[in-house]
C-alpha cells in the first residue's frame, strides 16, 4: 500500500470515528440529563464554528483568503442562508431525536435517510436506476419498515421521525455545499457553521423554557462541536477527493455499527436481534445501490 493510500485510509477511519462519536456524545449527554437538547445544539454549533474559524486561519492560503472574503460578501445570499438553515435544521432535529432513541438506532436512521435522499436527488436530476439498484433500494426500505414495526424494541416514533428529518436536512446541506465550486469545502463549512450558530442563538435562546446545563453536559456538547463535528468534517472533506462515489458512500455505512458498539460499551445499550436484522437489510441494500452504480 502506497503512502498516499495509507494517509487516505487513516483520514477515512478518523472521520468515521468522528461521525459515530457525534451520536455517542449527544446520546450520552442527553441520556444522563446533564444538558437539554436545545442547549446541546447551541453549544455544538458555536464550538464547531469557532474550531473551523481557527482551522481556516491556521491553514490560510491565498486561495482560502480569497474564498473567505468572497464568502463574507455572499453571507446573506439566498443559497448561503438556505445552506446554513439546512445545517441548523440537521443539528436541532439530531439533538432532540437523541432524547429518546438508542445511539446505534439513531445513527442507522440518520445515515439511511441521507443515502435515501441522495438517491432521490439522483433520480430528480434526470438519472435512471437499473433493476438491481431498485432491488437494493427495495431491500433497504423493507429493512427500514422492519425497524419501525411495532414491537418491544421499536424506537420512539417521534424520535425516529426527527432523526429522519435530520438525515434529509444533512443531505440537502451536502448537495448545496457541493454546488459551491468557487471556494474550498472547509470555507463553505465554516461559513455555514457560523450562520447556523447565529440562527441557534436567535431562535433556541428565546424558545427554550427549561435550560439545563451542567459542566459535563457543556463539555460533551463542546467536544461534539469542536472535535467530532468541526475537525471531523474537515478530516472527511480532506479525504473525500481521494474517494470514488461508491467508496465515499459505502464507507459511511460503517458509522451505525460503530455507534452501536459505542452505545453498547459506554451506555450499556443492548444490541437487539431485530435492530441487527434491520441494520443488515438497510445497509446491505444501500451498498448494492452504490456498488452497482460505480461499476
Amino acid at each position: 500500500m502506497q503512502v498516499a493510500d495509507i494517509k487516505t485510509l487513516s483520514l477515512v477511519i478518523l472521520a468515521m470515528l468522528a461521525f459515530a462519536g457525534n451520536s455517542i456524545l449527544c446520546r450520552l449527554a442527553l441520556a444522563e440529563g446533564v444538558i437539554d437538547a436545545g442547549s446541546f445544539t447551541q453549544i455544538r454549533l458555536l464550538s464547531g464554528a469557532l474550531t473551523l474559524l481557527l482551522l481556516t486561519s491556521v491553514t490560510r492560503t491565498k486561495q482560502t483568503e480569497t474564498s473567505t472574503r468572497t464568502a463574507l460578501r455572499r453571507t446573506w445570499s439566498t443559497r448561503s442562508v438556505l445552506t446554513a438553515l439546512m445545517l441548523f435544521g440537521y443539528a436541532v432535529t439530531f439533538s432532540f431525536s437523541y432524547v429518546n432513541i438508542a445511539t446505534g438506532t439513531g445513527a442507522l436512521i440518520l445515515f439511511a435517510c441521507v443515502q435515501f435522499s441522495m438517491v432521490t436527488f439522483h433520480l430528480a436530476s434526470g438519472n435512471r436506476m437499473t433493476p438491481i439498484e431498485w432491488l437494493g433500494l427495495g431491500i433497504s426500505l423493507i429493512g427500514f419498515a422492519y425497524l419501525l414495526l411495532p414491537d418491544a424494541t421499536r424506537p420512539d416514533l417521534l424520535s425516529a421521525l426527527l432523526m429522519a428529518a435530520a438525515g434529509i436536512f444533512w443531505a440537502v446541506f451536502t448537495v448545496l455545499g457541493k454546488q459551491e465550486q468557487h471556494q474550498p469545502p472547509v470555507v463553505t463549512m465554516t461559513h455555514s457553521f457560523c450562520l447556523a450558530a447565529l440562527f441557534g442563538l436567535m431562535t433556541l435562546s428565546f424558545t427554550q423554557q427549561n435550560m439545563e446545563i451542567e459542566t459535563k453536559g457543556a463539555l460533551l456538547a463542546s467536544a461534539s462541536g469542536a472535535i467530532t463535528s468541526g475537525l471531523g468534517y474537515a478530516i472527511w472533506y480532506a479525504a473525500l477527493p481521494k474517494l470514488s462515489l461508491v467508496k465515499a458512500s459505502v464507507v459511511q455505512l460503517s458509522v451505525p455499527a460503530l455507534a452501536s458498539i459505542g452505545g453498547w460499551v459506554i451506555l450499556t445499550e443492548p444490541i437487539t436481534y431485530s435492530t441487527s436484522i434491520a441494520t443488515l437489510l438497510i445497509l446491505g441494500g444501500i451498498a448494492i445501490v452504490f456498488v452497482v452504480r460505480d461499476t
Side-chain angles (χ1 to χ4, degrees):
M1 183 178 290
Q2 298 180 354
V3 175
D5 294 332
I6 295 175
K7 180 181 178 181
T8 300
L9 178 60
S10 300
L11 291 174
V12 168
I13 291 173
L14 287 173
M16 295 308 102
L17 289 172
F19 290 170
N22 264 329
S23 293
I24 295 169
L25 290 172
C26 185
R27 178 59 183 157
L28 178 62
L30 297 175
E32 294 189 357
V34 292
I35 193 171
D36 61 278
S39 297
F40 185 95
T41 302
Q42 289 187 75
I43 295 175
R44 179 188 179 188
L45 290 172
L46 282 169
S47 57
L50 291 173
T51 300
L52 287 167
L53 282 171
L54 178 62
L55 185 63
T56 53
S57 66
V58 170
T59 59
R60 181 176 297 162
T61 63
K62 182 175 290 186
Q63 182 186 16
T64 57
E65 286 180 359
T66 302
S67 299
T68 301
R69 288 195 295 269
T70 302
L72 289 173
R73 288 196 296 269
R74 292 164 53 89
T75 295
W76 297 107
S77 69
T78 302
R79 182 180 297 277
S80 296
V81 172
L82 182 58
T83 302
L85 282 173
M86 291 301 103
L87 177 59
F88 174 65
Y90 151 75
V92 171
T93 50
F94 179 90
S95 298
F96 279 90
S97 173
Y98 265 126
V99 173
N100 289 309
I101 199 169
T103 309
T105 302
L108 175 61
I109 294 173
L110 174 68
F111 280 90
C113 286
V114 169
Q115 302 297 350
F116 290 153
S117 299
M118 297 305 289
V119 170
T120 301
F121 291 135
H122 177 74
L123 293 173
S125 299
N127 298 292
R128 295 184 178 182
M129 291 174 60
T130 66
I132 297 180
E133 287 179 312
W134 281 112
L135 174 63
L137 184 60
I139 292 173
S140 292
L141 291 173
I142 290 172
F144 205 75
Y146 179 70
L147 178 68
L148 299 179
L149 282 176
D151 65 12
T153 58
R154 187 188 77 173
D156 177 73
L157 187 56
L158 177 59
S159 296
L161 291 174
L162 286 172
M163 192 61 82
I168 296 171
F169 281 130
W170 183 257
V172 177
F173 170 76
T174 301
V175 171
L176 291 173
K178 283 186 175 182
Q179 294 174 354
E180 295 285 353
Q181 300 292 337
H182 62 284
Q183 60 190 22
V186 67
V187 175
T188 301
M189 185 68 70
T190 302
H191 187 222
S192 298
F193 255 87
C194 290
L195 273 182
L198 178 60
F199 294 150
L201 290 173
M202 291 168 58
T203 57
L204 295 175
S205 298
F206 296 103
T207 57
Q208 287 180 263
Q209 295 181 349
N210 300 311
M211 295 180 64
E212 300 175 6
I213 308 177
E214 297 181 16
T215 301
K216 182 178 181 180
L219 290 174
L220 289 171
S222 297
S224 175
I227 301 173
T228 57
S229 293
L231 292 179
Y233 298 157
I235 291 170
W236 175 239
Y237 279 107
L240 207 51
K242 307 294 184 181
L243 303 175
S244 65
L245 172 65
V246 64
K247 288 180 179 178
S249 299
V250 172
V251 74
Q252 292 182 69
L253 304 184
S254 64
V255 175
L258 292 171
S260 293
I261 294 171
W264 174 56
V265 173
I266 298 173
L267 293 160
T268 64
E269 294 176 341
I271 300 177
T272 64
Y273 176 78
S274 60
T275 301
S276 299
I277 295 296
T279 300
L280 290 174
L281 289 172
I282 293 171
L283 302 188
I286 292 172
I288 290 173
V289 172
F290 283 97
V291 168
V292 170
R293 186 184 303 176
D294 200 55
T295 56

